[in-house]
Amino acid sequence: MRAFERAQARASVRARVRARVSAAALVVVGLLAGGCSADPAGAPAAPSPDPAASGTSSAPTAARAGATPLEPLPAAVPAALAPYYAQRPVWQPCDSGFECTTFRVPLDYDHPGDGDLTLAAARAAAEPAVPGSASSDPSASASASVSASAAAAVASASQDTRLGSLLLNPGGPGGSAIEYLEAAARTYDHGVRARYDLVGLDPRGVGRSSPVSCLSGDRMDAYTAVGLTPGDRGGVDALVAADKEFAEGCRTQAGAVLGHLSTVEAARDMDVLRALLGDEKLNFVGKSYGTFLGATYAGLFPSRVGRLVLDGAMDPALDSVTGNRTQAGGFETAWAAFAQDCAQREDCPLGRTEQQVGDRLTALLGGVRTAPLPTTDAGRRLTGSQATTGVIQAMYADFLWPKLRAALTDAEAGDGTGLLKLSDDYYGRESDGSYPNLMFANTAVNCLDLPAPFHGPEDVQRAVPEFERVSPHFGRDMAWMALTCAYWPVRATGAAHTVRAAGAAPIVVIGTTRDPATPYAWAQSLAGQLESGRLLTFDGDGHTAYGRHSTCVDGAVNRFLLTGEAPEQGKRCER
């Protein structure tokens, strides 16, 4: 977990949160994705102390002023890339009911002869509709919350017409789309599954696609335990040493691949797969960081945009400092919503008012930083950084709030096991002590996509007051989390930019008003940048909305995927 460069979008309440998996299962794995915001239309939301984290568009507008536009690539496939677009991948049965394949892409698109990467994809073939079933009635896909005319429009679409492939990306960066597909495919709407092959492509460096690795399990345990709020020179030195060890491990184990894991390159890989699937246009549902990937694709290949849904949107125009600070405000807003809810429940261990809950959390985290708590995990104690990470993990979805209340109750009694488990879930730590490559890929992608927010500890120390103003509970930690990329062994190749995607088909951008990881203001900004952007607002809590909260959101998205009819601009949904 190392803020804006750590996770431009948390890959999910984990692709691996196997409980309550849904079409929105993946959220984002690091913290570069987010911040929550109040709704400018006056919807009830926890107050945000920073305009950058609010539902107003003033902060994104200011950020856009210095951002350059992303220019599209030539429409014709360059001759040097033609062999990649002409591959004929072989799909084979895999993983209990799915099909898998691999294909090649150039390591460096500017120099295709310098070596290749092998990428992996999986698909769930379209399921033929059974007469009389929900999937045989396309109007059911519009959901009861959509008007009768909308349902009729869906019903008028030929239920026998296959619409091609629908690529899914859960976020991250670093989240495995294959893992997400296999966990969530059958939770997608029946009508959507009947008309599309659902496809998961692990982006380069992720999962099964030439994955990068950085540290062993025991060294990752040490890395996650290092204090994030150093109070003296020794604490600063320990944090810097941990970040340098992480970066050096990535350099040593990943080699040349480390310089070619950018989102632009991943978007170009998606275009190769689009061609290999036989689709003229790309249909795509991206969540969290997946929205950044999808928006990048639209900017590079606007004429090849099919039906794109970007849920839990990131704002590509933000620099990394602004993104981190905004995200801190988002988590503060999400915490306020949790605290309000907790204070009304008998099992809340922290108090009976929002102020009491917040004050007690501050005292609890301070105590754990001074004296780590024992846990039932042999040889491990809960440190302050892990306790904070555990709380942050629970902000991604309100169904985790009961688990957080229980973990805080135990921590108050001197047992850190519950918070440690939440922290482990954040990082994807398995019971055997191993880690997936999620966080390795996450950092590698983020450190390429944007210049480092800070160049050293002194920069962080100067920024801490503003971070704390935005987020009294998490600001200091999140400022220090953003230090990792200062020591990254390869230079960033990207920069903040706007995405217009001129000429693209309508693109649906979904924002949740109290999203802790991708602020609502980011969705407003991205929808405003895109020439064909349509903003769909969900007034609620948690990270992302499609498939998780609202029949209104689900109906609007399913209708778009099945008919191409985008929701009206500014449509608002509730639970």
Side-chain angles (χ1 to χ4, degrees), residues 8-9 27-28 168-173 270 284-296 309-312 314:
Q8 287 197 12
V27 181
V28 195
L168 312 177
N169 184 278
M270 285 205 305
F284 178 81
V285 174
K287 293 178 176 291
S288 200
Y289 164 79
T291 68
F292 184 54
L293 179 60
T296 300
V309 178
L310 308 179
D311 183 13
M314 292 183 59

Side-chain angles (χ1 to χ4, degrees), residues 322-362:
T322 304
N324 275 310
R325 190 174 61 244
T326 304
Q327 186 179 57
F331 279 98
E332 191 69 28
T333 299
W335 168 260
F338 167 81
Q340 290 172 359
D341 180 81
C342 185
Q344 299 172 29
R345 297 180 181 274
E346 291 188 3
D347 65 343
C348 182
L350 301 182
R352 289 293 171 263
T353 68
E354 180 185 341
Q355 183 67 43
Q356 289 175 353
V357 173
D359 290 346
R360 188 58 201 158
L361 176 71
T362 299

Side-chain angles (χ1 to χ4, degrees), residues 225-238:
V226 171
L228 291 173
T229 54
D232 54 26
R233 188 69 235 180
V236 171
D237 290 345

